[in-house]
Amino acid sequence: LSHLERWIQTELTELRTHFAQTLLQNKSRSSFIMTSIVHSLQQRRRRYRQRAYNKRPSLLEDYPDDARFRFGREDILFISNLPRSHLESATLRSQALTVEEQVLIALRFYASGAFYQVIGDGMCVTKSTVCTVIHRVSSALSRLLNQFVAFPENPEQLNKIKQDFFSLSKMPNTIGVIDCTHVYIQAPHEREWEFVNRKGRHSINVQLVGDADLIVTNCVESNFFKNFQQKPSSGIILGDSGYPLLTWLMTPFATVNTDSELSFNRAHATARGTIERLNGVLKRRFACLNYLRVEPKQACNICACIVLHNIARARKVPLYNDGQSALPQPQDAEREEAACDLIGSDILYVVTRTLFPNDRLIDAWRRSLMIE
């Protein structure tokens, strides 16, 4: 029995030793495998896929003076230098757009009013890039509104404006004309009913004040009437019958009874036609103002176009038509509304005075109408 016990104990010891050696070998093999995997992962270099960039054309270098951007090469360089601090990128990583390229994209949109995708296809950029660039450039130009749009206060400037209006329409002491124009927009999601005009369309009513040179001297200024009411004015501003008659705001006669009143209405309509032409030139130069596909809160394109309009007038940039030829004198559909100021009794007075120069003939004509 003792011999059997010793034999069993010896066999168990050998089995324990063999099992321990087997576990040690397997553990070393597993550790080696894990070490090899970690080493290979650490030594492998991360592979980047080469980015493919669209080659953008150098529009500013080979730029022809045509109607695509509504400005010449020197004018575009001048405009690009104005908001350079707000548009310039810190680096040129990922082929960042230069200031000139951003301005060209925005000008192309202002001039055509096309979809962002169409603008991006022509400028070799994506639709999202066009949207971002237009918003950045419009915001940067809107900050320059007070620099380029200011009502003249210098006596010399006021005297020049008065002389221009007097030579144009024989209207004395006129320092500006005022009127509103509608910029159509898409239906907003918030307070939609506030932007419905009398024609049932959604629009933003923009009030402009201009001079005889078609330069905007005031816009989106809520304190304009308040400032003229508080301090004495050095001249008068002409408005249509939709405005009230004030000491500094002249409107036409609603009913014409004398020749002097008729002469006043004619001179008033001739002078006030300036603001109608200004609105026409503004929308002709920047077709995006005919319809903006943005919310009212993002309609900073209007202020940007007004700033660019004054820059164009100051630098004498010609107005182009669709055939890429300069127009000698811009025309506008809204200009026809200026001829409608002499309505109602004014037109009746002109017709009757032309057909019946004598009062007796007028009375006879009126009696014939009553009899019929």
Side-chain angles (χ1 to χ4, degrees), residues 105 109 115-117 119-120 125-138 293-294 298 301:
I105 292 174
F109 170 74
F115 291 97
Y116 290 164
Q117 187 66 56
I119 302 297
V125 293
T126 60
K127 175 182 176 181
S128 59
T129 302
V130 174
C131 180
T132 303
V133 167
I134 290 175
H135 182 71
R136 291 184 60 188
V137 175
S138 299
R293 301 176 184 88
V294 295
Q298 301 177 357
N301 302 338

CSV table of all heavy atoms in Angstrom, one decimal, residues 105 109 115-117 119-120 125-138 293-294 298 301:
chain,number,residue,atom,x,y,z
A,105,ILE,N,-17.8,86.4,-56.4
A,105,ILE,CA,-18.9,85.5,-56.2
A,105,ILE,C,-20.2,86.3,-55.8
A,105,ILE,O,-21.3,86.1,-56.3
A,105,ILE,CB,-18.6,84.4,-55.2
A,105,ILE,CG1,-17.6,83.4,-55.8
A,105,ILE,CG2,-19.9,83.6,-54.8
A,105,ILE,CD1,-17.1,82.4,-54.8
A,109,PHE,N,-23.8,87.1,-57.9
A,109,PHE,CA,-25.1,86.9,-57.4
A,109,PHE,C,-25.9,88.2,-57.5
A,109,PHE,O,-27.1,88.2,-57.9
A,109,PHE,CB,-25.0,86.3,-56.0
A,109,PHE,CG,-26.4,86.3,-55.3
A,109,PHE,CD1,-27.3,85.3,-55.7
A,109,PHE,CD2,-26.7,87.2,-54.4
A,109,PHE,CE1,-28.6,85.3,-55.1
A,109,PHE,CE2,-28.0,87.2,-53.7
A,109,PHE,CZ,-28.9,86.2,-54.1
A,115,PHE,N,-29.7,81.1,-58.9
A,115,PHE,CA,-29.6,80.2,-57.8
A,115,PHE,C,-28.2,80.0,-57.4
A,115,PHE,O,-27.2,80.1,-58.2
A,115,PHE,CB,-30.2,78.8,-58.1
A,115,PHE,CG,-31.7,78.8,-58.3
A,115,PHE,CD1,-32.3,79.0,-59.5
A,115,PHE,CD2,-32.6,78.7,-57.2
A,115,PHE,CE1,-33.7,79.0,-59.7
A,115,PHE,CE2,-33.9,78.8,-57.3
A,115,PHE,CZ,-34.5,78.9,-58.6
A,116,TYR,N,-28.0,79.6,-56.1
A,116,TYR,CA,-26.6,79.4,-55.6
A,116,TYR,C,-25.9,78.3,-56.4
A,116,TYR,O,-24.7,78.4,-56.6
A,116,TYR,CB,-26.6,79.0,-54.1
A,116,TYR,CG,-27.0,80.2,-53.2
A,116,TYR,CD1,-27.4,79.9,-51.9
A,116,TYR,CD2,-27.0,81.5,-53.7
A,116,TYR,CE1,-27.8,81.0,-51.1
A,116,TYR,CE2,-27.4,82.5,-52.9
A,116,TYR,CZ,-27.8,82.3,-51.6
A,116,TYR,OH,-28.2,83.3,-50.8
A,117,GLN,N,-26.6,77.3,-56.8
A,117,GLN,CA,-26.0,76.2,-57.5
A,117,GLN,C,-25.5,76.7,-58.9
A,117,GLN,O,-24.4,76.3,-59.3
A,117,GLN,CB,-27.0,75.0,-57.7
A,117,GLN,CG,-26.4,73.8,-58.4
A,117,GLN,CD,-25.4,73.1,-57.5
A,117,GLN,OE1,-25.7,72.8,-56.3
A,117,GLN,NE2,-24.2,72.9,-58.0
A,119,ILE,N,-24.5,79.8,-59.6
A,119,ILE,CA,-23.4,80.6,-59.3
A,119,ILE,C,-22.2,79.8,-59.0
A,119,ILE,O,-21.0,80.0,-59.5
A,119,ILE,CB,-23.7,81.6,-58.2
A,119,ILE,CG1,-24.9,82.4,-58.5
A,119,ILE,CG2,-22.5,82.4,-57.9
A,119,ILE,CD1,-24.7,83.4,-59.6
A,120,GLY,N,-22.4,78.7,-58.3
A,120,GLY,CA,-21.2,77.8,-57.9
A,120,GLY,C,-20.7,77.1,-59.1
A,120,GLY,O,-19.4,76.9,-59.2
A,125,VAL,N,-17.1,76.4,-57.4
A,125,VAL,CA,-17.2,76.2,-56.0
A,125,VAL,C,-18.5,75.5,-55.7
A,125,VAL,O,-19.4,75.4,-56.6
A,125,VAL,CB,-17.1,77.6,-55.2
A,125,VAL,CG1,-15.7,78.2,-55.4
A,125,VAL,CG2,-18.2,78.5,-55.7
A,126,THR,N,-18.7,75.1,-54.5
A,126,THR,CA,-19.9,74.4,-54.1
A,126,THR,C,-21.0,75.3,-53.8
A,126,THR,O,-20.8,76.5,-53.6
A,126,THR,CB,-19.6,73.4,-53.0
A,126,THR,OG1,-19.2,74.2,-51.8
A,126,THR,CG2,-18.5,72.4,-53.3
A,127,LYS,N,-22.2,74.8,-53.7
A,127,LYS,CA,-23.4,75.6,-53.3
A,127,LYS,C,-23.3,76.1,-51.9
A,127,LYS,O,-23.6,77.3,-51.7
A,127,LYS,CB,-24.6,74.7,-53.5
A,127,LYS,CG,-25.9,75.4,-53.1
A,127,LYS,CD,-27.1,74.4,-53.2
A,127,LYS,CE,-28.4,75.1,-52.7
A,127,LYS,NZ,-29.5,74.2,-52.8
A,128,SER,N,-22.8,75.3,-51.0
A,128,SER,CA,-22.7,75.8,-49.6
A,128,SER,C,-21.6,76.9,-49.5
A,128,SER,O,-21.8,77.9,-48.7
A,128,SER,CB,-22.3,74.7,-48.7
A,128,SER,OG,-21.1,74.1,-49.1
A,129,THR,N,-20.6,76.8,-50.3
A,129,THR,CA,-19.6,77.9,-50.3
A,129,THR,C,-20.1,79.2,-50.8
A,129,THR,O,-19.9,80.3,-50.3
A,129,THR,CB,-18.4,77.5,-51.2
A,129,THR,OG1,-17.8,76.3,-50.6
A,129,THR,CG2,-17.3,78.6,-51.2
A,130,VAL,N,-20.9,79.1,-51.9
A,130,VAL,CA,-21.6,80.3,-52.4
A,130,VAL,C,-22.5,81.0,-51.3
A,130,VAL,O,-22.5,82.2,-51.1
A,130,VAL,CB,-22.4,80.0,-53.7
A,130,VAL,CG1,-23.2,81.2,-54.1
A,130,VAL,CG2,-21.4,79.5,-54.7
A,131,CYS,N,-23.3,80.2,-50.6
A,131,CYS,CA,-24.2,80.7,-49.6
A,131,CYS,C,-23.4,81.4,-48.5
A,131,CYS,O,-23.7,82.5,-48.1
A,131,CYS,CB,-25.0,79.6,-49.0
A,131,CYS,SG,-26.1,80.1,-47.7
A,132,THR,N,-22.3,80.8,-48.0
A,132,THR,CA,-21.5,81.3,-47.0
A,132,THR,C,-20.8,82.6,-47.4
A,132,THR,O,-20.8,83.6,-46.7
A,132,THR,CB,-20.4,80.3,-46.5
A,132,THR,OG1,-21.1,79.1,-46.1
A,132,THR,CG2,-19.6,80.9,-45.4
A,133,VAL,N,-20.3,82.6,-48.6
A,133,VAL,CA,-19.5,83.8,-49.2
A,133,VAL,C,-20.5,85.0,-49.3
A,133,VAL,O,-20.2,86.1,-49.0
A,133,VAL,CB,-18.8,83.4,-50.5
A,133,VAL,CG1,-18.3,84.7,-51.2
A,133,VAL,CG2,-17.7,82.5,-50.2
A,134,ILE,N,-21.7,84.7,-49.9
A,134,ILE,CA,-22.6,85.8,-50.1
A,134,ILE,C,-23.0,86.5,-48.8
A,134,ILE,O,-23.1,87.7,-48.7
A,134,ILE,CB,-23.8,85.3,-50.9
A,134,ILE,CG1,-23.4,85.0,-52.3
A,134,ILE,CG2,-24.9,86.4,-50.9
A,134,ILE,CD1,-24.5,84.4,-53.2
A,135,HIS,N,-23.3,85.6,-47.8
A,135,HIS,CA,-23.7,86.2,-46.5
A,135,HIS,C,-22.5,87.0,-45.9
A,135,HIS,O,-22.7,88.0,-45.3
A,135,HIS,CB,-24.1,85.0,-45.6
A,135,HIS,CG,-24.5,85.5,-44.2
A,135,HIS,ND1,-25.7,86.2,-44.0
A,135,HIS,CD2,-23.9,85.4,-43.0
A,135,HIS,CE1,-25.8,86.4,-42.7
A,135,HIS,NE2,-24.8,86.0,-42.1
A,136,ARG,N,-21.3,86.5,-46.0
A,136,ARG,CA,-20.1,87.2,-45.4
A,136,ARG,C,-19.9,88.5,-46.1
A,136,ARG,O,-19.7,89.6,-45.5
A,136,ARG,CB,-18.9,86.3,-45.5
A,136,ARG,CG,-18.9,85.1,-44.6
A,136,ARG,CD,-17.6,84.4,-44.7
A,136,ARG,NE,-16.5,85.3,-44.3
A,136,ARG,CZ,-15.2,84.9,-44.4
A,136,ARG,NH1,-14.9,83.8,-44.9
A,136,ARG,NH2,-14.2,85.8,-44.0
A,137,VAL,N,-19.9,88.5,-47.4
A,137,VAL,CA,-19.7,89.8,-48.2
A,137,VAL,C,-20.8,90.8,-48.0
A,137,VAL,O,-20.5,92.0,-47.8
A,137,VAL,CB,-19.5,89.4,-49.7
A,137,VAL,CG1,-19.4,90.7,-50.5
A,137,VAL,CG2,-18.3,88.6,-49.9
A,138,SER,N,-22.0,90.3,-47.9
A,138,SER,CA,-23.2,91.2,-47.7
A,138,SER,C,-23.1,91.9,-46.3
A,138,SER,O,-23.3,93.1,-46.2
A,138,SER,CB,-24.5,90.5,-47.9
A,138,SER,OG,-24.6,89.9,-49.2
A,293,ARG,N,-34.5,85.2,-52.3
A,293,ARG,CA,-34.9,83.9,-51.7
A,293,ARG,C,-34.3,83.8,-50.3
A,293,ARG,O,-33.6,82.8,-50.0
A,293,ARG,CB,-34.4,82.8,-52.6
A,293,ARG,CG,-35.0,82.9,-54.1
A,293,ARG,CD,-34.5,81.8,-54.9
A,293,ARG,NE,-34.9,81.9,-56.3
A,293,ARG,CZ,-34.3,82.6,-57.2
A,293,ARG,NH1,-33.2,83.3,-56.9
A,293,ARG,NH2,-34.8,82.7,-58.4
A,294,VAL,N,-34.6,84.7,-49.5
A,294,VAL,CA,-34.0,84.7,-48.1
A,294,VAL,C,-35.1,85.1,-47.2
A,294,VAL,O,-36.2,85.7,-47.6
A,294,VAL,CB,-32.8,85.6,-48.0
A,294,VAL,CG1,-31.6,85.1,-48.8
A,294,VAL,CG2,-33.2,87.1,-48.3
A,298,GLN,N,-32.3,87.9,-43.0
A,298,GLN,CA,-31.0,87.7,-43.7
A,298,GLN,C,-31.0,88.6,-45.0
A,298,GLN,O,-30.2,88.3,-45.9
A,298,GLN,CB,-30.9,86.2,-44.1
A,298,GLN,CG,-30.8,85.3,-42.9
A,298,GLN,CD,-30.8,83.8,-43.3
A,298,GLN,OE1,-30.8,83.5,-44.5
A,298,GLN,NE2,-30.6,82.9,-42.4
A,301,ASN,N,-28.6,91.8,-48.1
A,301,ASN,CA,-28.2,92.0,-49.5
A,301,ASN,C,-28.7,93.4,-50.0
A,301,ASN,O,-28.1,94.0,-50.9
A,301,ASN,CB,-28.7,90.9,-50.4
A,301,ASN,CG,-28.3,89.6,-50.1
A,301,ASN,OD1,-27.2,89.4,-49.4
A,301,ASN,ND2,-29.0,88.5,-50.4
